[in-house]
């Protein structure tokens, strides 16, 4: 399987950053990327299209139990939690919201950390709540790389700040630095 | 993660030993999370959890209910309902009767949504409605047809989209008041389905994993939405095969929006967009 798994969590103020990152990644990007983004519950359509327009890579809202493929970008579907399971499989769930969120970043990050240990690169972007802090702490505990968006650049700093307070963050990066880090992987 | 895969195996084994519940083929991550939540909520560790399962039947039943997930809304995902209205149900509208089974119906909102749709299509009378779940408590709520009003307020918009509007003809508008189907008491934040809806379905407890047909009939339409996501690949295929054996020829199966047939079982169905027809 892949050498790296990239998980990205974002909420308020992260949409532009995400589209910027996706637009800079090449068509042959060798690793799978998992996006767990909070969005308004009633905004169920149009979101993935907006992400796809600028991306060179395939952006998919995965169906339950599909096999993970490198170079795909998996977006947690609205109103479902997204887990990474043993055997390189994605599973979805409609369990209650965690941190008022479904999808919850914590669940995607923790399950990635549990299965992929040091292969995980976890990135927390701008957002207005604390979701993702426990998840990125798990990524660190399992030996993965942890990155938070720089607080100066963030539209809303609560989420990366919570991540920074929850664990040892390897890099606090601006979006440009995040992109060049990913390109060097 | 608080517990290890070995701990999870011990818990699964204990359920098998002390009950008929089999969680072997459940999706690992969500099952593990539910078990962790039980450990926290009841302040247990693994040995005391297993001990309670052995000695306390009531706890065993309650914990099974805590493990299974219950999410349902009125007219959840309007796209599915438009498909039911314009593509699926018309296939069976000329028959003398239509047998419909909601497998894993939870608190029943989907059951009532479909009855409302059938009624608007003048098909309710000839429909036989069956609904099952593993959890007796949610079936009790489903039978009562009584829900929090505010909880469902968001879904009034979905009701409007499915019942009042026609996505293929924007000029069409059918003014069907919500109160035709529910008595609403805003001061108590309650709403209750009208009795002609409540008395229609047959609700029964059923464990899908055990694969017994508790209704002793076959079906024209089976709805099983966001249940299979809690099963692993093997159990998903087995269950879809079970549905196949219970569908009439040309019967339809509707799964959740993000569920699909991934295994060899897919060859026994014709995929029609978001629903499946038995070959």
């Amino acid at each position: 399987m892949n050498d790296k798994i990239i998980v990205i969590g974002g909420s308020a103020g992260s949409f532009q950053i995400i589209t910027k990152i996706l637009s800079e990644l090449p068509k042959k990007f060798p690793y799978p990327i998992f996006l767990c983004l909070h969005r308004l519950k009633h905004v169920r359509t149009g979101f993935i299209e907006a992400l796809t327009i600028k991306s060179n890579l395939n952006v998919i809202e995965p169906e339950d139990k599909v096999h993970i493929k490198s170079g795909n970008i998996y977006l947690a579907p609205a109103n479902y939690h997204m887990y990474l399971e043993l055997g390189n499989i994605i599973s979805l769930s409609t369990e209650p919201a965690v941190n008022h969120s479904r999808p919850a970043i914590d669940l995607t990050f923790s399950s990635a950390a549990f299965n992929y240990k040091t292969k995980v690169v976890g990135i927390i972007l701008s957002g207005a709540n604390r979701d993702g802090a426990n998840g990125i702490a798990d990524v660190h505990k399992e030996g993965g790389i942890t990155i938070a968006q720089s607080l100066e650049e963030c539209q809303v700093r609560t989420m990366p700040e919570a991540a920074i307070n929850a664990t040892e963050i390897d890099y606090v990066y601006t979006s440009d630095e995040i992109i060049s880090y990913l390109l060097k992987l | 993660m608080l517990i290890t895969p070995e701990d999870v195996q011990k818990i699964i084994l204990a359920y098998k030993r002390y009950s008929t519940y089999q969680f072997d083929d459940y999706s690992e991550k969500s099952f593990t999370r539910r078990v962790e939540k039980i450990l926290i909520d009841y302040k247990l560790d693994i040995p005391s959890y297993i001990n309670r399962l052995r000695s306390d039947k009531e706890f065993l039943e309650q914990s099974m209910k805590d493990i299974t997930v219950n999410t349902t809304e009125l007219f959840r995902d309007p796209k599915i309902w438009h498909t039911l209205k314009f593509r699926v149900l018309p296939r069976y509208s000329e028959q003398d009767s239509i047998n419909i089974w909601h497998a894993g119906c939870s608190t029943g909102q989907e059951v009532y949504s479909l009855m409302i749709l059938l009624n608007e299509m003048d098909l309710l009378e000839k429909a036989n409605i069956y609904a099952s779940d593993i959890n007796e408590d949610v079936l009790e709520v489903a039978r009562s047809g009584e829900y929090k009003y505010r909880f469902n307020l968001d879904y009034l918009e979905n009701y409007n989209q499915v019942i009042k509007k026609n996505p293929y003809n924007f000029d069409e508008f059918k003014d069907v008041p919500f109160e035709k189907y529910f008595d609403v008491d805003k001061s108590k934040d309650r709403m209750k389905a009208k009795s002609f809806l409540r008395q229609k379905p047959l609700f029964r407890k059923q464990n899908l994993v055990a694969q017994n047909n508790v209704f002793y009939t076959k079906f024209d339409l089976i709805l099983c939405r966001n249940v299979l996501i809690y099963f692993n690949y093997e159990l998903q295929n087995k269950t879809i095969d079970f549905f196949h054996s219970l569908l009439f020829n040309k019967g339809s199966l509707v799964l959740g929006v993000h569920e699909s047939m991934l295994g060899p079982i897919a060859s026994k169905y014709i995929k029609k967009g978001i629903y499946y027809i038995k070959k």
Side-chain angles (χ1 to χ4, degrees), chain A residues 12-23:
Chain A
S14 69
F15 187 76
Q16 277 97 336
I17 308 292
I18 293 277
T19 45
K20 183 173 164 190
I21 292 172
L22 296 192
S23 69

Side-chain angles (χ1 to χ4, degrees), chain B residues 8 29 82 152 159 172 184 197 200 224 249:
Chain B
V8 174
K29 283 285 176 285
H82 287 139
N152 288 291
Y159 169 88
E172 195 180 307
V184 176
L197 295 179
K200 181 91 186 167
C224 183
N249 260 344

Side-chain angles (χ1 to χ4, degrees), chain B residues 58-111:
Chain B
E58 215 169 290
F59 170 78
L60 188 143
E61 286 301 317
Q62 186 53 49
S63 66
M64 177 280 292
K65 291 168 187 166
D66 294 336
I67 284 173
T68 51
V69 174
N70 297 297
T71 313
T72 181
E73 297 157 10
L74 283 176
F75 296 103
R76 182 183 168 100
D77 305 313
K79 198 172 89 184
I80 290 251
W81 294 94
H82 287 139
T83 303
L84 284 166
K85 184 175 175 180
F86 294 104
R87 302 268 178 261
V88 180
L89 292 170
R91 293 175 161 271
Y92 312 108
S93 58
E94 299 301 316
Q95 296 176 187
D96 295 336
S97 65
I98 311 173
N99 286 0
I100 299 171
W101 173 27
H102 300 263
C105 67
S106 187
T107 43
Q109 280 89 332
E110 178 187 277
V111 181

Side-chain angles (χ1 to χ4, degrees), chain A residues 5-17:
Chain A
I5 288 266
I6 294 142
V7 287
I8 301 177
S11 190
S14 69
F15 187 76
Q16 277 97 336
I17 308 292

Side-chain angles (χ1 to χ4, degrees), chain B residues 123-140:
Chain B
L123 296 174
L124 185 60
E125 212 159 307
K126 60 163 113 173
N128 300 309
I129 311 285
Y130 306 91
S132 64
D133 201 281
I134 193 173
N135 180 342
E136 266 299 344
D137 293 355
V138 294
L139 286 176
E140 220 26 69

